Amino acid sequence: EAGVVQSPRYKIIEKKQPVAFWCNPISGHNTLYWYLQNLGQGPELLIRYENEEAVDDSQLPKDRFSAERLKGVDSTLKIQPAELGDSAVYLCASSFRSGTQYFGPGTRLTVL
Amino acid sequence: KQEVTQIPAALSVPEGENLVLNCSFTDSAIYNLQWFRQDPGKGLTSLLLIQSSQREQTSGRLNASLDKSSGRSTLYIAASQPGDSATYLCAVETGANSKLTFGKGITLSVRP
């Protein structure tokens, strides 16, 4: 069974540019999470989806970050415009309802 | 606000040693506690999940215990091996939205 797939694995951009990350969850998992992990820190939840609905986006900086999960399967997280402080690893996870979360390998973003 | 602490931040031990990793949390009203492993440049892999009503869980050489009233958990690794070298993160689940709050992790190095 395929795990959580994320792309790209690495992304380097200049500040003020837009960037998008894609996540495909494990088949059958209706809950999808986006996390931000800074170096030396644990992951912090940005947004959680139940099917197509964002049920917790309280930690998502909505002035520059947006996310969508239009068909309740794969999801895209976007930053526009990116800032130097956005350099981090962006992790996607999925679960069946509120069960164990399975994490993807992450996208490492570097903003120059 | 839930806070999760893992001390020390790094640990180096010789191969074969039994070791204990500690985790503490401030709010005892948790649904469960999980221990994750993260290899460099990779996502998180769930090792053990302890429900709030449980005291411990075991998987192979790993044993995790939970003392909810005192806000503590330990991960015991028996007969450590170089392949156990990784960062170990503790996370507690709280709230109706299954929010995971992570510690910063303990980076373990097992010397051959």
Side-chain angles (χ1 to χ4, degrees), chain B residues 60-95:
Chain B
R61 294 183 294 109
L62 305 179
N63 175 277
S65 67
L66 173 64
D67 184 342
K68 199 171 73 164
S69 61
S70 67
R72 294 180 181 179
S73 175
T74 61
L75 178 66
Y76 175 82
I77 303 177
S80 59
Q81 303 170 358
D84 295 330
S85 298
T87 296
Y88 292 81
L89 295 105
C90 166
V92 295
E93 181 177 334
T94 55

Side-chain angles (χ1 to χ4, degrees), chain B residues 10-97:
Chain B
L11 187 60
S12 180
V13 300
E15 181 177 5
E17 189 164 301
N18 301 324
L19 58 101
V20 173
L21 306 182
N22 294 305
C23 171
S24 63
F25 48 95
T26 55
D27 185 351
S28 62
I30 65 170
Y31 290 137
N32 60 55
L33 181 144
Q34 292 188 65
W35 283 92
F36 291 86
R37 169 181 173 143
Q38 187 172 32
D39 292 284
K42 302 288 181 63
L44 280 69
T45 301
S46 180
L47 297 173
L48 290 165
L49 184 151
I50 312 175
Q51 299 290 351
S52 62
S53 59
Q54 298 175 322
R55 297 282 293 181
E56 65 178 323
Q57 282 285 344
T58 298
S59 175
R61 294 183 294 109
L62 305 179
N63 175 277
S65 67
L66 173 64
D67 184 342
K68 199 171 73 164
S69 61
S70 67
R72 294 180 181 179
S73 175
T74 61
L75 178 66
Y76 175 82
I77 303 177
S80 59
Q81 303 170 358
D84 295 330
S85 298
T87 296
Y88 292 81
L89 295 105
C90 166
V92 295
E93 181 177 334
T94 55
N97 286 332

Side-chain angles (χ1 to χ4, degrees), chain A residues 54-109:
Chain A
V55 297
D56 184 358
D57 63 356
S58 57
Q59 300 302 310
L60 188 71
K62 298 181 183 63
D63 57 336
R64 297 184 299 108
F65 286 66
S66 65
E68 61 183 15
R69 194 185 185 200
L70 295 176
K71 298 182 179 179
V73 180
D74 56 347
S75 175
T76 302
L77 178 68
K78 299 178 181 178
I79 308 174
Q80 182 172 10
E83 297 179 352
L84 295 176
D86 296 331
S87 295
V89 176
Y90 293 82
L91 294 165
C92 178
S94 71
S95 69
F96 178 67
R97 295 182 181 172
S98 299
T100 299
Q101 296 182 31
Y102 295 85
F103 284 77
T107 296
R108 181 176 298 277
L109 174 67

